[in-house]
Amino acid sequence: AQSVAQPEDQVNVAEGNPLTVKCTYSVSGNPYLFWYVQYPNRGLQFLLKYITGDNLVKGSYGFEAEFNKSQTSFHLKKPSALVSDSALYFCAVRDIYSGNTPLVFGKGTRLSVIA
Amino acid sequence: EPEVTQTPSHQVTQMGQEVILRCVPISNHLYFYWYRQILGQKVEFLVSFYNNEISEKSEIFDDQFSVERPDGSNFTLKIRSTKLEDSAMYFCASSDKRASYNEQFFGPGTRLTVL
């Protein structure tokens, strides 16, 4: 069975500082990994995904994530946080052989960037 | 940029009543999904729909739930007799391709409150 863990309910960071939102996963095979962000009163917006190739994936709004197979992690990062990055972040996984089956999500991490 | 839309944004109902949550997926998408998130918990898969039939459903999606694509644009989730534990945020999503590396596009959600 596939699963995702986001160990932090809340991450606080000062504006201009680097941010990291953690995600670890469990799949029986190889994973496809996704990050989504949810702003207030908005749907989940796709940020980036890891499919294959380079372990460092770049996405929208300056975010990037690093796939680490040995640690089964896919942490979301940004070199310099903005107040507008404050939102709820979800990590999700799918097994690569699962076809179009549903995404399995973590419970989300609330990021708060303080000016 | 095309978006998934959902109505209503918030629905309050009495226990035992029927509710219908509505979604308009992105127009050229073929795969449709419903997920829900109980407050403070993970986003959970309910059902996927393709070619006018259910592709997959979770154990949450019992006989009280049904989905329908009544016309070429809407995708609905019906709960026949709501329970207190159905209170959650319900997200609709769509995707255009079958491959498991394709991201899903989410609507803003409907917050269902069962009293």
Side-chain angles (χ1 to χ4, degrees), chain A residues 1-7 22-34 50 66-75 91-95 104 106:
Chain A
Q2 302 159 58
S3 66
V4 172
Q6 292 182 243
K22 295 179 181 176
C23 171
T24 58
Y25 66 90
S26 174
V27 295
S28 55
N30 290 318
Y32 290 143
L33 293 153
F34 303 81
Y50 171 79
E66 186 164 14
F67 171 62
N68 188 318
K69 188 171 184 177
S70 63
Q71 296 185 3
T72 62
S73 67
F74 189 56
H75 301 331
C91 183
V93 70
R94 237 197 210 136
D95 188 290
V104 174

Side-chain angles (χ1 to χ4, degrees), chain A residues 4 32 34 36 38 41-44 46 49 51 90 94-103 105-107, chain B residues 3 31 33 35 37 40-43 45 56 91 95 97-109:
Chain A
V4 172
Y32 290 143
F34 303 81
Y36 284 81
Q38 186 181 28
N41 301 315
R42 300 292 298 276
L44 298 168
F46 170 74
K49 64 184 177 184
I51 304 302
F90 292 95
R94 237 197 210 136
D95 188 290
I96 67 170
Y97 297 114
S98 64
N100 210 23
T101 55
L103 295 168
F105 284 89
K107 65 177 183 178
Chain B
E3 289 184 331
Y31 299 88
Y33 311 83
Y35 292 81
Q37 185 183 29
Q41 298 185 25
K42 293 183 181 186
V43 176
F45 167 72
E56 186 171 349
F91 294 106
S95 66
K97 293 186 178 63
R98 179 170 175 80
S100 57
Y101 52 75
N102 286 299
E103 60 270 27
Q104 295 170 11
F105 294 82
F106 285 78

